[in-house]
Amino acid sequence: MAASLVNEANEKWGQMIRDKNAKGLAALYTEDTQVLPTGSPPLIGRAAFEKFAEGVIASGISNAKLLTALLDPTADSVPVGGTFWERGNYTFYNDTGAVMDVGKFVVIWKKVAPGNIQLYIDIFNSNNAFKQ
């Protein structure tokens, strides 16, 4: 059950990028979300993430694929209000389909209602070498 909810949410994440819908993307996150992107201070709260998402979309990223590599083995038994983790990989693409970035992420999901999860804590890092 949890794996299908995560897969569905990850597909929605990509769909919101394809739709250039920062507000819809932010709605996948809890109000009190904490997002920890590469090269940025922590983003605290949904509104802060929405502003960041607008910048991501404006940067030319027009598609995203998120794939789960590992899922918390206790995810199916988490009660409402509880959390579980996911470790995965992402690929970002531009309008021509060229790869813009490849990286990895760890998400702490929050079960907000039966059958409903949202991203609570999200950290992602590029696989590209750090430029000095």
Side-chain angles (χ1 to χ4, degrees), residues 78-131:
V78 170
V80 170
T83 61
F84 63 94
W85 56 265
E86 172 198 17
R87 210 289 282 156
N89 301 293
Y90 70 82
T91 306
F92 294 155
Y93 303 88
N94 68 15
D95 285 334
T96 69
V99 173
M100 291 187 69
D101 192 27
V102 176
K104 63 273 187 198
F105 64 87
V106 173
V107 168
I108 306 297
W109 292 93
K110 185 177 276 188
K111 188 173 184 180
V112 296
N116 188 358
I117 59 173
Q118 289 183 306
L119 293 98
Y120 173 48
I121 299 173
D122 184 4
I123 183 168
F124 52 94
N125 299 283
S126 175
N127 289 348
N128 294 323
F130 181 72
K131 296 177 184 175

Side-chain angles (χ1 to χ4, degrees), residues 12-29 49-58 61-62:
K12 284 182 187 175
W13 206 101
Q15 187 63 52
M16 293 300 104
I17 293 290
R18 289 187 293 280
D19 292 346
K20 301 184 184 331
N21 185 347
K23 187 174 191 70
L25 183 58
L28 300 174
Y29 288 75
F49 176 73
E50 183 177 342
K51 184 174 180 177
F52 177 82
E54 290 169 355
V56 167
I57 292 166
I61 293 172
S62 62

Side-chain angles (χ1 to χ4, degrees), residues 38-74:
T38 301
S40 171
L43 306 168
I44 307 300
R46 186 183 289 162
F49 176 73
E50 183 177 342
K51 184 174 180 177
F52 177 82
E54 290 169 355
V56 167
I57 292 166
S59 77
I61 293 172
S62 62
N63 194 7
K65 294 197 178 177
L66 309 176
L67 298 173
T68 302
L70 296 169
L71 187 63
D72 185 339
T74 67

